[in-house]
Amino acid sequence: MKFSPSLSLLATAFALAAGAAQAQVYMEATLGAGKVNGQCRGLSNCESSDLDSRLSLGYLISPNAGMEFSWLDYPTVKAGDAVNGARVKLSGPAFGGVYRHPLTDSVSLNLRGGLAWNQGKASVWENQREVLKSRQRSAQPYFGLNATYAFNETYAVGLGVDFTRAKLENERANIRSFNLVGRSTF
């Protein structure tokens, strides 16, 4: 049998089209209460809990597995007062995989994990003068779990929890978030 490149290309195109017919693109957003377990270096009035959010664009390769790109916006840590204090803002992009385990036709458990490129921006002031401004990125693992209820094939809502870490000035901080989830599938 003679090899035919056009038949091979045609078979490959049909296989890709069949796979793409099962694939789904989705957008997912979370808003929640986040907490950073870090040190406030002995400063009073340490606030390490705040709103945080995540915005993800995902692609399901199969009904249960996919990959997603996210932007993570973590809580801001504030300590001290107007005279002496510090502030650290954490955020960054993430890329990873997602697995959906259906419990019923409408309810599913969703597991996500991957690598986040977290950035910390710190500002420290003493006697009302800024004495340190720092920015540092670090690649850190992230992990998330949520349960969602699908109203239909397009919209779902749920509750979830996410975990990651950040690094700034050779100190690591654990970050966790309990959040509301909204998802739209295209």
Side-chain angles (χ1 to χ4, degrees):
M1 179 180 232
K2 187 176 177 183
F3 174 74
S4 171
S6 59
L7 284 178
S8 297
L9 289 174
L10 186 60
T12 303
F14 278 123
L16 289 174
Q22 293 180 347
Q24 292 182 321
V25 175
Y26 65 91
M27 177 82 67
E28 188 170 276
T30 67
L31 181 64
K35 177 148 179 76
V36 178
N37 291 344
Q39 297 179 2
C40 288
R41 298 182 185 251
L43 293 170
S44 61
N45 303 326
C46 183
E47 296 176 28
S48 61
S49 297
D50 199 3
L51 284 177
D52 76 352
S53 61
R54 175 178 52 85
L55 184 61
S56 300
L57 180 63
Y59 181 77
L60 289 177
I61 298 166
S62 73
N64 296 347
M67 54 192 162
E68 64 183 18
F69 175 78
S70 302
W71 178 261
L72 308 166
D73 192 22
Y74 306 115
T76 300
V77 178
K78 296 174 246 172
D81 53 34
V83 178
N84 297 310
R87 178 175 188 235
V88 178
K89 177 62 185 147
L90 302 162
S91 62
F95 182 76
V98 62
Y99 176 76
R100 292 188 181 159
H101 180 73
L103 299 176
T104 68
D105 288 341
S106 299
V107 178
S108 66
L109 285 177
N110 307 291
L111 177 67
R112 71 177 28 84
L115 193 63
W117 198 37
N118 296 329
Q119 175 177 264
K121 295 179 188 175
S123 176
V124 178
W125 57 93
E126 292 177 1
N127 297 324
Q128 298 180 332
R129 296 189 65 177
E130 188 172 66
V131 295
L132 173 69
K133 197 166 197 171
S134 175
R135 180 183 298 190
Q136 183 176 354
R137 286 199 175 271
S138 64
Q140 302 290 331
Y142 76 90
F143 169 77
L145 177 67
N146 65 38
T148 56
Y149 174 79
F151 294 109
N152 52 39
E153 291 183 13
T154 306
Y155 300 107
V157 296
L159 297 171
V161 61
D162 291 299
F163 302 95
T164 189
R165 292 183 298 195
K167 184 178 175 185
L168 188 63
E169 299 299 322
N170 298 321
E171 290 187 30
R172 290 186 190 234
N174 294 319
I175 304 167
R176 68 179 180 269
S177 172
F178 298 98
N179 46 55
L180 298 173
V181 179
R183 183 173 58 233
S184 177
T185 303
F186 306 103

